[in-house]
Amino acid sequence: MVSQGNYISPSISLTAFNCPHCSVLTTQFWSHIYSESFERNSTPNVIKVFDEDDFEKKSKHNEFTEDVKLILKDYFKNKVSLLPFFEKNKDGKYVYNSIDNLYVSKCYNCSKISIWVADKLIWPDSDGQITPNPDLPRELTVDYNEAASIVNKSPRGAAALLRLTIQKLCKHLGEKGKNIDEDIKSLVSKGLDPRVQKMLDTVRVIGNEAVHPGTIDLKDDINIAQMLFQLINMIVDITISQPKHIDEMYNLLPEEKRKGIEIRDRKKDQ
């Protein structure tokens, strides 16, 4: 199953959702986590470099079958990525010793794994859907990405950062950037799209509730916090991306045609 349909947040209770790595809505395969104890006084071995040519030379001195060589090569390539992966033994089977309340979901589309403690996604830090609109101003992207990095651990903290992002966005749109409520009111008086006003107020109110005790409790509701990221991207799309693209297309018109349109509009206003 692979789909590009509506976004479904990663959840411990689902067998299909948008992958935190590749963002594709697809099947997720769940696994228990298992462990094998190190020998006494032994410590983990982290490998940061894998020389494939050197491996080939050294493997000639061992009586490895081609299957074992492939498994070892795959192991070392995964090891140097410094990312979580499943380890296999020489027979190509996974090595198991159970740990409870620790789970892995593996994406059907990209084969990358995500790590969960109980029902909390702890790797990767944010899901793949939480990426800023490319037209989000650079100084706002910093706050957006910081919020994305903590949303699974602290939905309230993420919502508060997104409220700050909205405050800075209002300033970017020509307002004072000191009082979000007043800035939104001013934008409305200038003809702000009613849809944008609703989205701005949604992020503003939920962000406020995250900081001050209120009726919306984000403590255990990651979904609400995740939706705020989508709202910000939609706000940027309507207020920045769409006007930019319209101007780009308009500027493709021949200069004399654009001048003719300007003359027509001046006559209309007289």
Side-chain angles (χ1 to χ4, degrees):
M1 170 189 171
V2 175
S3 172
Q4 296 290 349
N6 294 331
Y7 179 74
I8 298 178
S9 297
S11 170
I12 197 77
S13 62
L14 300 175
T15 56
F17 48 74
N18 287 80
C19 173
H21 294 282
C22 68
S23 297
V24 172
L25 174 56
T26 184
T27 302
Q28 300 288 329
F29 300 102
W30 288 98
S31 301
H32 293 285
I33 295 290
Y34 297 85
S35 73
E36 182 176 358
S37 298
F38 288 102
E39 293 182 5
R40 189 171 182 178
N41 298 323
S42 295
T43 60
N45 180 25
V46 176
I47 300 174
K48 296 186 177 181
V49 178
F50 171 57
D51 188 326
E52 192 167 337
D53 291 334
D54 185 58
F55 170 80
E56 291 290 345
K57 291 178 183 177
K58 291 180 178 178
S59 63
K60 289 180 180 179
H61 300 294
N62 297 283
E63 296 181 356
F64 293 146
T65 64
E66 285 302 314
D67 287 343
V68 171
K69 281 178 63 176
L70 287 174
I71 291 171
L72 286 172
K73 191 181 295 186
D74 182 62
Y75 168 80
F76 285 118
K77 286 182 177 180
N78 282 316
K79 189 77 171 174
V80 298
S81 74
L82 303 182
L83 298 176
F85 70 99
F86 282 121
E87 181 181 350
K88 297 179 181 179
N89 62 21
K90 64 180 181 179
D91 297 320
K93 298 178 180 178
Y94 295 117
V95 180
Y96 293 136
N97 271 320
S98 180
I99 302 176
D100 207 349
N101 252 356
L102 194 58
Y103 310 106
V104 161
S105 56
K106 182 180 179 182
C107 175
Y108 172 81
N109 183 63
C110 70
S111 296
K112 292 183 178 179
I113 68 174
S114 302
I115 299 177
W116 303 70
V117 172
D119 61 348
K120 303 295 183 184
L121 176 65
I122 63 170
W123 173 266
D125 287 338
S126 63
D127 67 55
Q129 182 73 5
I130 304 179
T131 55
N133 183 311
D135 291 319
L136 182 68
R138 182 174 297 178
E139 64 273 18
L140 278 67
T141 300
V142 174
D143 296 320
Y144 184 105
N145 288 336
E146 183 179 349
S149 71
I150 66 171
V151 65
N152 293 306
K153 300 172 185 175
S154 176
R156 290 181 296 178
L161 279 168
L162 293 179
R163 180 191 178 280
L164 176 62
T165 303
I166 284 294
Q167 185 172 351
K168 293 180 178 180
L169 182 58
C170 286
K171 186 174 182 179
H172 180 83
L173 295 175
E175 302 305 320
K176 296 179 180 179
K178 294 182 179 180
N179 184 302
I180 303 180
D181 202 26
E182 290 298 320
D183 285 348
I184 295 174
K185 180 180 178 181
S186 175
L187 288 169
V188 169
S189 70
K190 297 174 183 176
L192 180 71
D193 187 320
R195 296 174 299 167
V196 177
Q197 174 261 310
K198 289 181 179 179
M199 289 187 283
L200 286 170
D201 277 322
T202 299
V203 180
R204 175 184 65 82
V205 171
I206 294 177
N208 284 340
E209 294 275 325
V211 178
H212 307 290
T215 55
I216 302 175
D217 187 3
L218 290 179
K219 187 175 182 181
D220 295 312
D221 199 335
I222 294 177
N223 288 336
I224 291 179
Q226 288 176 328
M227 285 190 290
L228 298 182
F229 291 93
Q230 298 178 53
L231 288 183
I232 287 181
N233 283 340
M234 287 190 283
I235 292 168
V236 173
D237 181 63
I238 296 174
T239 61
I240 299 177
S241 301
Q242 291 183 21
K244 183 185 78 171
H245 297 321
I246 291 170
D247 286 342
E248 288 173 349
M249 292 298 296
Y250 184 76
N251 289 332
L252 292 176
L253 298 177
E255 185 177 357
E256 64 272 15
K257 297 294 183 182
R258 285 186 275 120
K259 286 182 178 178
I261 294 171
E262 291 170 7
I263 294 171
R264 178 203 65 190
D265 291 343
R266 283 200 297 269
K267 288 181 179 179
K268 182 179 178 181
D269 294 335
Q270 291 175 355

